[in-house]
Amino acid sequence: MNRKEFLHLMGAGTLSMAMPLKNFARSLEHLDHADLRLPALFVGHGNPMNALEDNPDTRAWKKLGEGIRPRAVLCISAHWLTRGTFVTAMEKPKTIHDFYGFPRALHEFDYPAPGAPGLARELTQKVNYAQVREDHDWGLDHGTWSVLAQMYPLADIPVFQMSIDIQKPMQYHYELARDLSYLRSKGVLIVGSGNIVHNLRMAKFTPNPVPYDWALEFDATAKKLIESGDHQALINYKTLGKSAMLSIPTEDHYIPLIYLLGLGDKKDAVSFPVESMAFGSGSMRSVQLSGY
């Protein structure tokens, strides 16, 4: 199926009758998007309960999904940390419930999106900056499905994940993202899922908590640096002062932002679909590169 055929089906309004969801997902994986460069996203995913809840943040995610219909989604989640870099390459990735203590409904939630093994295999062959190997064990963790459940609730778009090599420096992740950017011209929506400010030890579990000054300060600093295109300052975040160190006590949730920065170029406009703070110490800020 080429882009013209796809748009004809969408315009005719007969897609749901023309093919089952499984076949539609398969057709999306083979759709030619060569004349498009899709947006790319960083999403502050926060509490996994966002998968089930209706709030201003999740409504913003829904709106993002309504505006972007990709061939597949590649997610780089803060919750898949490895030694080495891997990409899921199974036909049917499992839903991973990598948390405890939440309501039964969340533990039983399933996001049965198909995988994208062909795209995963292609990625391992095309990326030159680092060795990326196929993985057949992981699946989709909550950093991925808690967001996609709101963006694409039918789970009808192929999804694959790439792991974060936690041993590597920030510059590695930025350069690897540059190698991944070709996927944007192949109809793949790349989503980094983490949080710019993520300090669970200092979280306030009270109604409507007032954010810490340092959390607001670093979130605003990050926004300003993203808007100005000063990626090196964000890569070298340890030079940004006490607010940065309090906001990033561990790097796992920050690294997905670095991937988003590496995916961009000068033609991308930057916007912030979500600008909120959760539990006083967790930025829900999302960042969108416009595509063209």
Side-chain angles (χ1 to χ4, degrees), residues 242-259:
K242 184 178 179 180
S243 67
M245 301 309 293
L246 285 168
S247 297
I248 312 171
T250 60
E251 294 182 338
D252 46 9
H253 279 68
Y254 185 74
I255 290 171
L257 173 68
I258 301 303
Y259 276 93

Side-chain angles (χ1 to χ4, degrees), residues 16 27 53 69 89 108 148 173 177 192 227 243 250-251 285:
S16 61
S27 71
E53 293 180 350
R69 186 72 187 181
E108 294 180 348
L148 296 186
H173 301 292
E227 289 177 322
S243 67
T250 60
E251 294 182 338
R285 179 176 299 282

Side-chain angles (χ1 to χ4, degrees), residues 54-238:
D54 175 53
N55 57 53
D57 296 340
T58 63
R59 287 194 288 275
W61 298 351
K62 285 181 182 293
K63 187 175 181 180
L64 285 170
E66 291 167 358
I68 308 170
R69 186 72 187 181
R71 168 188 181 187
V73 176
L74 171 63
C75 190
I76 301 159
S77 165
H79 293 280
W80 190 19
L81 308 177
T82 55
R83 294 185 177 184
T85 303
F86 300 86
V87 61
T88 57
M90 64 283 287
E91 291 278 356
K92 297 180 179 180
K94 62 188 176 184
T95 302
I96 301 172
H97 300 88
D98 49 336
F99 45 71
Y100 60 90
F102 286 91
R104 182 174 180 178
L106 189 65
H107 286 275
E108 294 180 348
F109 184 83
D110 184 45
Y111 190 73
L119 286 167
R121 189 166 301 112
E122 179 183 300
L123 186 158
T124 65
Q125 296 166 354
K126 282 186 173 287
V127 168
N128 295 314
Y129 182 75
Q131 181 184 22
V132 182
R133 289 171 285 179
E134 292 185 22
D135 173 88
H136 296 271
D137 298 318
W138 186 247
L140 306 179
D141 60 57
H142 82 267
T144 294
W145 58 258
S146 66
V147 175
L148 296 186
Q150 296 285 1
M151 289 181 65
Y152 303 113
L154 296 180
D156 57 347
I157 293 177
V159 181
F160 59 129
Q161 279 195 218
M162 195 180 78
S163 73
I164 292 172
D165 186 343
I166 199 62
Q167 301 178 108
K168 298 295 187 181
M170 290 291 167
Q171 193 69 41
Y172 168 90
H173 301 292
Y174 185 79
E175 299 300 335
L176 178 52
R178 290 196 173 284
D179 259 13
L180 295 174
S181 65
Y182 82 93
L183 287 166
R184 295 180 62 194
S185 298
K186 295 180 71 68
V188 178
L189 174 63
I190 305 177
V191 179
S193 178
N195 296 96
I196 292 176
V197 177
H198 185 259
N199 191 326
L200 286 179
R201 290 187 177 183
M202 300 186 72
K204 302 176 183 179
F205 298 102
T206 56
N208 303 312
V210 176
Y212 292 100
D213 289 343
W214 53 262
L216 293 172
E217 178 184 334
F218 183 69
D219 188 58
T221 296
K223 178 183 180 181
K224 182 178 179 180
L225 292 171
I226 292 167
E227 289 177 322
S228 68
D230 191 349
H231 296 175
Q232 282 303 314
L234 289 160
I235 289 169
N236 300 318
Y237 72 91
K238 292 180 181 179

